[in-house]
Amino acid sequence: MSRELDSRLDFMRFDGQHRQLLKGVQPDVERWIGPALDSFYAQVRGTAEVSSFFRDDSHMASARTAQARHWSRISQARFDNDFHASVRAIGSVHARIGLQPRWYMGAYGLVLDYMLRAIDNEYSWWRRALTFFRKPKGIDVAVTLVKAALLDMELSTSIWYEECQTSREAAIQALGATLAKLSGGDLTENLSGLPASFAMIETHYNNSVAKLRDLIGSVAVSAEQIRTGSAEIAQASEDLARRTESNAASLEQTAAAVSQMDGRLKATASAAQDTVQRADQTKVTVASGRSVADEAVQAMGRVSESAKGIDSVIEGLDKIAFQTRVLAMNAAVEAGRAGEAGRGFAVVADLVSALAMRAEEEAKRARDQLTVTQSDVVTAVQAVEKVDGALQNISGDVEQVHALLATIASDNQAQASAVTEINSAIASMDQATQQNAAMVEETSAASRNLLSEVSTLSDQISRFVVRMRRASQAGSSRAQESSRCPALRRRSWSACRRPRAGTGSSSRVAAGVPVRTAIRLRPAG
């Protein structure tokens, strides 16, 4: 390193004479550096961007002491390996804490401002004259001190840039290696050990990768859940399609049966209406029969009255026959009295008596026959009255039958209307079921397409390597969830609601990815 310093000194024309001159003003430099640094740190306290590099006043005092010691080393003009090591330590610290060269160079500007004014005063012409010009010229002292300060400043700045470049190259190399793994799908690698100036990049990168890792893991779990759900939906849709087709066929058969029932009910309603009409006709006929029976009863009454008249006539004839027989007997008595002269008259009287007796006998027979006839007429009247009563009962029964038949006809009509509406409803249900079957087929096809897309997504996600975190806790959580919902073990779609994708992504990552996602998992390091 001594050769590099010598080349710098040679280029700056800093020769042995400058060294001797710098050593000669060392006491002045050590005397001036204190107030110069006081002025500089007063400026630092008023500048927030620079004062933030110091923890407190003791830290600032320690830095002031180190700077004073370093200026003392500069004023000794020993630009050797120890001097270079001291400068490198200063430059490394500046690079490590992130102190930019503008503040470092500004510090030299403030210190040199004070020293150059002190040189101008200490090495003025009249002061040199007082020493008979044994003191060096002020311009020579100033140039020597400025060259030494510029050498120190150039070395510190070069070292600062070297350290920054080394840190930058190390950061770029680490970032490149990590990005290479990231481009290969490995999300388990974090940035670490970067210089302090790259700490923000390291933090942001690691946070981004952690979020991406959680996102990919969450997407993997969600994709598996979606694939499982899609398979279940597809299976359920196919089952529903088969059941819908079966229901459609059953509805079609039911529609045909109801249509037949509708026809039969309409025929029954028509027959009931005809029966009502026949019942009306029967009611009229029964009413007509009752009228005829009334007329027969009246005729029988008139016959009975006529029989009574005939009886009185027969009674009159019977009286006439009796009187005639009495007269004949009287005539016979008178003829007997007359003797022979009345014999012919007696014969006539016998004949008349015999005729009267026959008349009585015939009248008796007529009375007997009339009595029988009257008895038969009474019996007939009673029979006709019974017939009239029966016809009246029949009329009442026909009236009730008519009312019942009218009710049955009305009910049949209402049932026929209801069955017609049911038939229309079943036809609508049949059409809706057919449409549902078509929609279920479309849903099944969409579920199969979704399953294919999710499988493709899982294959894409499987290229990433994610980290397994808190797997044991997640496994126990999933076991508890499975125990709470036995339908998860039966893989039933409707019996238990699944957690929504997108919530609790970290827990789902922790739960692990099912084997079918083909995602490579690594234990947390």
Side-chain angles (χ1 to χ4, degrees):
M1 190 60 205
S2 178
R3 186 177 301 174
E4 293 183 4
L5 284 174
D6 290 341
S7 66
R8 283 180 167 83
L9 293 171
D10 291 341
F11 184 80
M12 297 173 64
R13 295 178 182 175
F14 198 94
D15 52 17
Q17 185 178 356
H18 289 89
R19 289 175 182 262
Q20 292 299 324
L21 181 60
L22 187 58
K23 288 180 181 180
V25 300
Q26 179 183 1
D28 295 331
V29 170
E30 292 179 348
R31 179 165 50 88
W32 296 333
I33 192 62
L37 290 175
D38 290 339
S39 175
F40 164 69
Y41 278 103
Q43 184 69 17
V44 168
R45 288 186 177 90
T47 306
E49 293 173 287
V50 183
S51 61
S52 62
F53 289 100
F54 299 97
R55 295 187 299 273
D56 48 27
D57 290 341
S58 62
H59 186 199
M60 195 175 293
S62 176
R64 181 185 182 282
T65 300
Q67 283 181 286
R69 187 166 53 249
H70 183 69
W71 273 100
S72 177
R73 185 178 290 107
I74 292 175
S75 64
Q76 293 175 7
R78 292 189 304 176
F79 302 113
D80 52 10
N81 290 334
D82 292 338
F83 171 76
H84 184 268
S86 177
V87 175
R88 174 168 289 281
I90 294 172
S92 298
V93 170
H94 291 172
R96 179 173 55 81
I97 66 176
L99 181 66
Q100 297 179 359
R102 65 189 181 109
W103 305 115
Y104 189 59
M105 293 179 182
Y108 271 98
L110 293 174
V111 171
L112 288 176
D113 176 79
Y114 183 91
M115 287 189 174
L116 290 177
R117 294 180 186 277
I119 289 172
D120 181 62
N121 181 51
E122 186 72 23
Y123 292 93
S124 61
W125 181 87
W126 63 271
R127 287 183 180 275
R128 290 182 64 230
L130 291 177
T131 61
F132 301 100
F133 299 100
R134 287 195 297 271
K135 282 189 175 183
K137 294 180 180 181
I139 186 66
D140 293 336
V141 175
V143 168
T144 300
L145 186 61
V146 168
K147 285 185 176 181
L150 289 176
L151 174 64
D152 181 69
M153 186 168 55
E154 185 273 328
L155 286 173
S156 296
T157 304
S158 297
I159 291 170
W160 185 88
Y161 278 111
E162 287 177 4
E163 292 292 332
C164 288
Q165 183 64 25
T166 301
S167 299
R168 189 179 298 109
E169 290 177 355
I172 291 174
Q173 184 177 2
L175 182 60
T178 306
L179 288 175
K181 292 183 178 181
L182 179 62
S183 64
D186 188 358
L187 302 178
T188 62
E189 190 70 22
N190 286 333
L191 276 176
S192 60
L194 294 185
S197 58
F198 295 92
M200 185 175 296
I201 294 177
E202 178 179 324
T203 300
H204 289 335
Y205 175 85
N206 290 338
N207 291 338
S208 299
V209 170
K211 292 180 179 179
L212 180 61
R213 184 166 51 240
D214 292 342
L215 175 62
I216 295 298
S218 175
V219 170
V221 175
S222 299
E224 174 61 19
Q225 291 180 349
I226 293 173
R227 180 163 63 178
T228 302
S230 299
E232 293 175 354
I233 291 174
Q235 183 63 38
S237 297
E238 292 177 358
D239 294 342
L240 180 58
R242 287 192 295 270
R243 289 195 296 270
T244 304
E245 291 176 358
S246 177
N247 291 339
S250 299
L251 276 175
E252 187 175 359
Q253 295 175 359
T254 303
V258 171
S259 180
Q260 293 178 0
M261 186 187 299
D262 185 25
R264 292 176 181 174
L265 280 174
K266 288 181 178 179
T268 303
S270 178
Q273 193 67 31
D274 294 340
T275 304
V276 170
Q277 294 176 359
R278 295 292 179 88
D280 289 337
Q281 294 176 1
T282 302
K283 183 179 177 182
V284 172
T285 302
V286 170
S288 177
R290 286 194 64 195
S291 178
V292 173
D294 288 338
E295 293 178 357
V297 170
Q298 292 175 4
M300 291 297 177
R302 290 194 297 270
V303 170
S304 178
E305 292 297 328
S306 298
K308 289 179 181 180
I310 293 171
D311 184 61
S312 64
V313 172
I314 292 172
E315 185 178 358
L317 290 175
D318 188 32
K319 288 178 181 181
I320 291 171
F322 176 74
Q323 290 175 0
T324 301
R325 186 166 61 83
V326 171
L327 288 174
M329 288 177 66
N330 289 332
V333 170
E334 289 297 327
R337 283 177 183 177
E340 191 64 33
R343 187 177 293 177
F345 187 74
V347 173
V348 173
D350 290 336
L351 291 174
V352 171
S353 178
L355 182 60
M357 290 181 64
R358 284 189 62 189
E360 286 182 0
E361 291 177 359
E362 291 298 328
K364 183 179 180 183
R365 288 179 58 192
R367 183 178 287 109
D368 292 339
Q369 187 65 37
L370 183 59
T371 301
V372 173
T373 301
Q374 285 181 342
S375 178
D376 291 338
V377 168
V378 171
T379 302
V381 169
Q382 292 177 353
V384 170
E385 288 178 352
K386 289 181 180 180
V387 169
D388 183 61
L391 288 175
Q392 185 177 2
N393 292 334
I394 291 173
S395 179
D397 293 340
V398 169
E399 191 72 30
Q400 294 179 0
V401 170
H402 179 272
L404 292 173
L405 288 175
T407 303
I408 292 173
S410 177
D411 291 343
N412 286 337
Q413 190 66 33
Q415 289 178 2
S417 300
V419 170
T420 301
E421 293 178 359
I422 293 172
N423 190 21
S424 299
I426 291 177
S428 299
M429 291 174 61
D430 186 24
Q431 182 179 3
T433 303
Q434 295 292 341
Q435 294 175 353
N436 290 340
M439 293 177 66
V440 168
E441 287 293 337
E442 294 177 359
T443 303
S444 180
S447 299
R448 288 192 293 271
N449 291 336
L450 178 61
L451 181 60
S452 176
E453 293 296 332
V454 172
S455 298
T456 302
L457 177 62
S458 296
D459 293 339
Q460 295 293 330
I461 295 175
S462 65
R463 295 185 300 173
F464 292 94
V465 180
V466 296
R467 177 173 297 158
M468 191 88 154
R469 295 185 297 180
R470 300 188 302 276
S472 60
Q473 297 177 1
S476 62
S477 175
R478 188 173 181 85
Q480 293 175 0
E481 181 181 1
S482 177
S483 64
R484 288 195 303 267
C485 185
L488 287 177
R489 296 191 295 269
R490 299 194 298 270
R491 300 174 60 82
S492 172
W493 174 256
S494 60
C496 180
R497 295 185 61 188
R498 296 182 179 275
R500 293 179 55 193
T503 60
S505 58
S506 298
S507 64
R508 286 200 299 273
V509 173
V513 181
V515 177
R516 286 183 292 178
T517 59
I519 295 209
R520 296 167 289 170
L521 300 175
R522 292 183 178 178

